[in-house]
Amino acid sequence: KIDKAIVSVWSESAPDKFKVDLAQLSFGQIERSGSESLHTITNQDKDAIGYLMTSTAPSRYDNFDLMVIYDLNMVIVKSDILVYREDWGGEITSPRWLKQFIGKTSSDRIQLNHGIQGISGATISCRSAVQEIKRLTHLMSHLHTSGQLTSAN
C-alpha cells in the first residue's frame, strides 16, 4: 500500500524509498512516540523528491497505522490510513476525508473542526489521526528547517 501511494504521487519518476536512521536526528522539543519511521523518497538518479513518515495512533481500543507523504518543502502531498483495526470509525480510511490534509504544512491550522472536518461516529479516531498528522508535520518541519534532511538521508 505504501509503494502504491508513492507511485500515485510521483508516477513518472519511478520513485524508490530509503529508510532514515531516526537515532541520528535531533527532534528538539517535539516528542517522539517511538512508532515513527522516516523514508527519503528518491527518483531514478537517487535525488530526494520527498519524504514518507509512518506512525501509529490510538483509536478507541486499539492502534491504527498511518502514513504521510511530504514534498521537499514539507507540504503534505498524500496521507493514508494503512491498517485500521477497529469495528467502528473506519470511515477515517476514506480518501475523501484524507484529502483534507493535502497541501497542509506545519504553519497551517491542522485541527479537528478548524480546517479539518470530523466524521460522526469516528470522533476518537478522527481526533487521533489529526493530532498524529499534525505532530508528524511539525516534526518534519523541524527536521527540514534544522537542515537535518538532505538528499544523503
Side-chain angles (χ1 to χ4, degrees):
K1 192 168 184 179
I2 290 173
D3 291 337
K4 203 179 221 184
I6 292 170
V7 168
S8 76
V9 174
W10 288 289
S11 58
E12 75 285 345
S13 57
D16 201 357
K17 66 182 185 309
F18 297 93
K19 190 165 185 157
V20 175
D21 184 3
L22 293 176
Q24 304 297 316
L25 303 176
S26 169
F27 296 94
Q29 301 288 330
I30 303 166
E31 286 190 41
R32 288 199 46 219
S33 68
S35 67
E36 304 95 350
S37 178
L38 172 62
H39 291 83
T40 300
I41 302 169
T42 62
N43 61 17
Q44 291 174 338
D45 297 328
K46 303 299 181 209
D47 296 322
I49 57 174
Y51 297 95
L52 164 76
M53 281 291 282
T54 61
S55 186
T56 62
S59 51
R60 186 170 185 173
Y61 300 111
D62 209 340
N63 291 327
F64 58 92
D65 303 332
L66 59 89
M67 72 166 189
V68 183
I69 300 176
Y70 300 89
D71 68 13
L72 293 177
N73 296 313
M74 300 308 125
V75 176
I76 297 174
V77 294
K78 186 164 185 70
S79 61
D80 205 349
I81 305 298
L82 300 171
V83 179
Y84 191 79
R85 298 175 181 88
E86 298 275 354
D87 292 332
W88 299 99
E91 296 87 354
I92 69 165
T93 64
S94 161
R96 184 175 178 198
W97 186 75
L98 292 163
K99 282 182 183 179
Q100 297 181 89
F101 297 99
I102 294 173
K104 302 282 187 194
T105 67
S106 65
S107 62
D108 291 315
R109 189 171 189 184
I110 302 175
Q111 185 176 346
L112 195 59
N113 299 322
H114 296 281
I116 303 294
Q117 295 303 309
I119 299 172
S120 180
T123 305
I124 294 170
S125 297
C126 282
R127 184 178 300 122
S128 185
V130 169
Q131 289 174 343
E132 187 62 11
I133 291 171
K134 178 180 181 176
R135 189 184 68 78
L136 292 175
T137 303
H138 283 290
L139 189 146
M140 290 300 292
S141 178
H142 168 76
L143 294 175
H144 178 70
T145 58
S146 65
Q148 296 183 75
L149 294 178
T150 65
S151 57
N153 285 22

